[in-house]
Amino acid sequence: VYWRKSWLVFWLLFFVLHLAVAVHVIPMSRFTITADRYLYLALIGPCFIVSKLFLQYMHSNIKKTGGIAALLIYLLFLGLYTNYRCKIWKDSDTLKQEIRDLDKN
C-alpha cells in the first residue's frame, strides 16, 4: 500500500530539497537564503528514516536483543570517542595544529 510508505518519500524529498538549497544547486541570492552552516538541517530526513526503520525492526520481534545491544555498543563508542576528542580539542589553534599534523602524515 503506497500511503504507508509516503513517509519515506516525504523525508527523502525533505533531505534533497534542503541539501539542494544549502549546497546552492538551486541558484538563489546569497542574501535571501541560509548560509552553508545550515546544511545540518537536511540531516533530519535521513535520521528520521533510520530511526523509523530501526523501530520497525524492533517491533518485528526478530532478534530484538541483538538490535538493542548493537545500539548500545554504538552509543558507547560515540560517547568514548567524543570524550577522547574533547580532551584533545582545547581551542581552535590546537584543533588546526592537529589537522596540520595529520595532513603531514
Side-chain angles (χ1 to χ4, degrees):
V1 179
Y2 176 74
W3 64 271
R4 289 185 182 174
K5 298 294 182 187
S6 62
W7 61 268
L8 180 64
V9 174
F10 172 77
W11 288 111
L12 283 175
L13 288 175
F14 182 89
F15 173 69
V16 169
L17 178 67
H18 282 84
L19 186 68
V21 169
V23 179
H24 301 287
V25 173
I26 301 171
M28 293 184 178
S29 167
R30 195 75 165 142
F31 299 108
T32 60
I33 206 63
T34 59
D36 295 336
R37 66 180 171 269
Y38 295 113
L39 183 62
Y40 66 89
L41 289 174
L43 291 175
I44 294 172
C47 289
F48 185 86
I49 291 171
V50 168
S51 63
K52 176 84 170 161
L53 292 175
F54 181 76
L55 288 174
Q56 285 179 351
Y57 171 77
M58 294 306 291
H59 288 300
S60 68
N61 292 328
I62 301 173
K63 299 180 183 174
K64 189 180 281 193
T65 56
I68 292 172
L71 179 64
L72 290 176
I73 290 170
Y74 180 66
L75 291 175
L76 179 67
F77 167 74
L78 288 178
L80 292 173
Y81 189 69
T82 301
N83 187 25
Y84 168 73
R85 294 301 301 168
C86 286
K87 289 178 182 176
I88 293 173
W89 183 20
K90 295 180 174 62
D91 56 10
S92 296
D93 294 331
T94 59
L95 181 64
K96 290 176 186 176
Q97 185 60 41
E98 184 184 356
I99 291 172
R100 285 187 207 111
D101 293 342
L102 289 173
D103 195 33
K104 289 179 184 177
N105 294 334

